[in-house]
Amino acid sequence: MRVTNDNIYNNHWIYLDDNDVPLLLPCLYSRYTSSSGLSVVHTKTKNRETKDYEFGFEEIEIGDNAQYVRGHQLGEFLKWVEDYDHPLVTLDNHTALPSEYINEYINNHLICSMKKSEIVVNRATVALNSYYDWLSFFFDNPLKKIFVFSVNRKIAKSNNKTKLIVKYLLPATRELLYRHTGTLLEEIVLRNGGELGCRTKENQGFFLADYRADGKKQMGLLSLFNELITDQDKEEFQYHLPSINTKGGKARTLYIQRSHLQLMKRYYDLERPQSDSNHLLVSNSTNSSRGHGIDVRYGTRLFPVIAEKVRQKIQDYPEVYSGYQEIDVAHTYHHFRHSFGTDVFYEGCIQAGKNAESITTESRVYIETARRMGHTVTGKNANQTTKGYIHAVGQRESLLKEVANG
């Protein structure tokens, strides 16, 4: 798609698809803000007599700069929607997107992946709220709740720093984080990121009983638990992560080590609340969510809590932890997955006897890494994510040297 600011004739932003056909509603929104100098906001007021809250919409005046920023940020969001690898997330139906996807753009893409500053994140949040509130006000679209998650506020603030964090967490650092979890559930969720390369939402993809997905019957974890007992020499177990639980709807095979599967079984036998759910990982909360599968943001919320606990330990006992990598407040759950992918790529280079910098997008190491991570290897921008591991291998080696030198 193309996004342009027509400051000669129409004085507003224009959004065109690949066939140069205008995207009607975004163009109308930009026309509205520029011609009227207004923006729609959702309001909440308390009725003095009934003491109840009343919700509604209000048009507020905005200046030229605010109009420009809203149009620009909406364009960036629409480009992300266009590149999103999922049949339900398209430019044609972007107005009907659930809040979950819009908040993924704010919290995962802008804050965690792109490391955008707090100012940029706030501008994007205001712009998307303005656009979707406008759709609700004029077209009766369902209201969207678009916001920065509380666990990401510190990260957004830390992104203001010029310092760029290394996204790679050393194996010893990951183990340190695992050891400071309080429950088996917490440990499994962190290990799923660091040892299996799972995104936080993919923790919902572990099923107990055998199930049907992606065209055939798949083995559930109860079947793998039986294998664990009957085949004492087996060290690696394959699990099918179904497409319905992955980003972009791309299923992949997870290779679960024996110790990890034993941890899952121990959780199932000893800690998992009684539940009819077929999910392995269920909430042990005391509220109504108890016994239901953990939500998609469980890992996102858990990581900063454990990371802060470890940072405090390092601060209190510096001599004991002197050989460990610094855990930055900008590190996130997703960096477990990035670290896993870097390890897969690095080990592939070692086995192939090649330097990371010599690996091309057609090489077996590259394609195997993409397969293990669930990355698409064809199509627009398909290679960009996997390419990051070439640079990350260098960061990994630098970190190891830093730790070795104290």
Side-chain angles (χ1 to χ4, degrees):
M1 68 169 294
R2 288 196 302 124
V3 179
T4 182
N5 181 242
D6 181 8
N7 54 13
I8 299 176
Y9 300 106
N10 297 302
N11 294 313
H12 67 77
W13 289 87
I14 298 173
Y15 312 91
L16 306 170
D17 65 16
D18 288 337
N19 297 315
D20 281 345
V21 176
L23 301 176
L24 181 59
L25 288 174
C27 287
L28 284 175
Y29 163 78
S30 187
R31 178 75 174 180
Y32 159 81
T33 57
S34 62
S35 62
S36 67
L38 298 174
S39 179
V40 177
V41 295
H42 187 238
T43 60
K44 171 184 174 182
T45 56
K46 191 172 185 178
N47 189 303
R48 292 182 177 180
E49 295 181 1
T50 64
K51 305 301 181 184
D52 293 329
Y53 285 103
E54 297 174 351
F55 299 91
F57 292 99
E58 180 184 342
E59 291 179 293
I60 62 170
E61 292 186 7
I62 57 173
D64 292 345
N65 184 61
Q67 297 165 25
Y68 181 91
V69 169
R70 279 165 172 73
H72 170 70
Q73 291 298 334
L74 176 58
E76 294 300 301
F77 171 69
L78 293 174
K79 290 176 187 176
W80 176 81
V81 169
E82 182 187 40
D83 291 339
Y84 198 99
D85 188 15
H86 194 286
L88 298 179
V89 183
T90 65
L91 287 175
D92 289 339
N93 71 354
H94 79 274
T95 58
L97 285 181
S99 300
E100 173 187 344
Y101 288 101
I102 307 169
N103 284 323
E104 180 183 341
Y105 170 75
I106 297 288
N107 290 275
N108 293 349
H109 178 69
L110 291 184
I111 296 176
C112 296
S113 298
M114 302 304 294
K115 302 298 174 190
K116 293 297 184 182
S117 69
E118 187 179 18
I119 292 174
V120 172
V121 171
N122 287 339
R123 285 175 176 170
T125 305
V126 169
L128 293 180
N129 271 308
S130 172
Y131 176 60
Y132 281 98
D133 285 349
W134 177 81
L135 290 172
S136 298
F137 184 54
F138 286 105
F139 300 96
D140 291 326
N141 256 35
L143 185 67
K144 311 291 183 184
K145 294 182 69 175
I146 305 168
F147 60 98
V148 176
F149 302 151
S150 60
V151 296
N152 286 341
R153 287 173 193 151
K154 273 189 178 180
I155 299 171
K157 287 181 179 177
S158 70
N159 289 346
N160 297 337
K161 299 184 298 184
T162 56
K163 171 190 171 185
L164 295 176
I165 67 158
V166 176
K167 298 179 182 179
Y168 182 79
L169 296 168
L170 290 168
T173 306
R174 282 173 261 165
E175 284 293 338
L176 186 62
L177 289 162
Y178 305 152
R179 289 205 308 267
H180 282 80
T181 53
T183 65
L184 294 175
L185 171 64
E186 292 178 352
E187 184 176 353
I188 290 169
V189 168
L190 293 195
R191 286 187 182 275
N192 283 351
E195 297 183 9
L196 300 178
C198 289
R199 301 175 178 90
T200 179
K201 67 175 289 186
E202 291 171 348
N203 285 300
Q204 292 184 330
F206 292 88
F207 297 103
L208 292 169
D210 294 350
Y211 62 99
R212 188 165 187 82
D214 303 310
K216 65 177 184 178
K217 186 177 180 181
Q218 309 292 351
M219 288 180 64
L221 288 163
L222 293 179
S223 296
L224 295 186
F225 292 163
N226 286 332
E227 276 192 35
L228 192 65
I229 297 169
T230 57
D231 192 345
Q232 295 290 323
D233 295 326
K234 191 169 184 177
E235 289 297 324
E236 188 176 78
F237 301 79
Q238 293 186 22
Y239 178 79
H240 179 87
L241 186 65
S243 59
I244 194 172
N245 295 106
T246 64
K247 181 179 178 180
K250 190 174 179 62
R252 69 180 188 274
T253 301
L254 302 180
Y255 300 89
I256 307 176
Q257 295 303 306
R258 186 178 191 86
S259 59
H260 194 152
L261 190 60
Q262 286 173 330
L263 183 68
M264 290 179 170
K265 185 177 186 305
R266 192 156 73 249
Y267 163 76
Y268 176 74
D269 291 337
L270 302 177
E271 187 182 285
R272 184 179 184 269
Q274 275 198 327
S275 171
D276 294 330
S277 173
N278 195 33
H279 292 282
L280 168 69
L281 305 174
V282 298
S283 173
N284 56 9
S285 172
T286 55
N287 60 29
S288 59
S289 66
R290 182 177 178 83
H292 295 280
I294 58 174
D295 68 57
V296 294
R297 300 202 302 271
Y298 185 89
T300 302
R301 292 198 307 270
L302 173 64
F303 182 88
V305 175
I306 304 302
E308 181 58 34
K309 190 186 296 185
V310 172
R311 278 195 296 272
Q312 192 60 51
K313 272 285 181 70
I314 293 174
Q315 182 179 322
D316 293 342
Y317 306 100
E319 293 182 1
V320 176
Y321 296 100
S322 60
Y324 282 93
Q325 167 191 5
E326 177 188 357
I327 302 174
D328 198 284
V329 292
H331 278 127
T332 68
Y333 182 85
H334 195 76
H335 291 146
F336 275 134
R337 173 175 161 81
H338 183 82
S339 303
F340 170 82
T342 303
D343 289 346
V344 169
F345 186 80
Y346 174 78
E347 289 162 9
C349 292
I350 296 298
Q351 291 172 6
K354 294 185 177 181
N355 183 281
E357 297 295 336
S358 70
I359 300 296
T360 66
T361 55
E362 290 78 29
S363 73
R364 188 164 61 181
V365 172
Y366 194 96
I367 293 171
E368 174 62 11
T369 302
R371 183 187 72 83
R372 292 283 298 274
M373 299 302 291
H375 293 159
T376 303
V377 293
T378 58
K380 183 180 177 182
N381 298 325
N383 294 319
Q384 297 308 310
T385 305
T386 311
K387 266 184 185 175
Y389 298 124
I390 297 175
H391 178 61
V393 165
Q395 293 179 325
R396 178 186 189 276
E397 292 172 347
S398 296
L399 273 175
L400 285 169
K401 288 178 182 177
E402 284 179 21
V403 170
N405 294 328

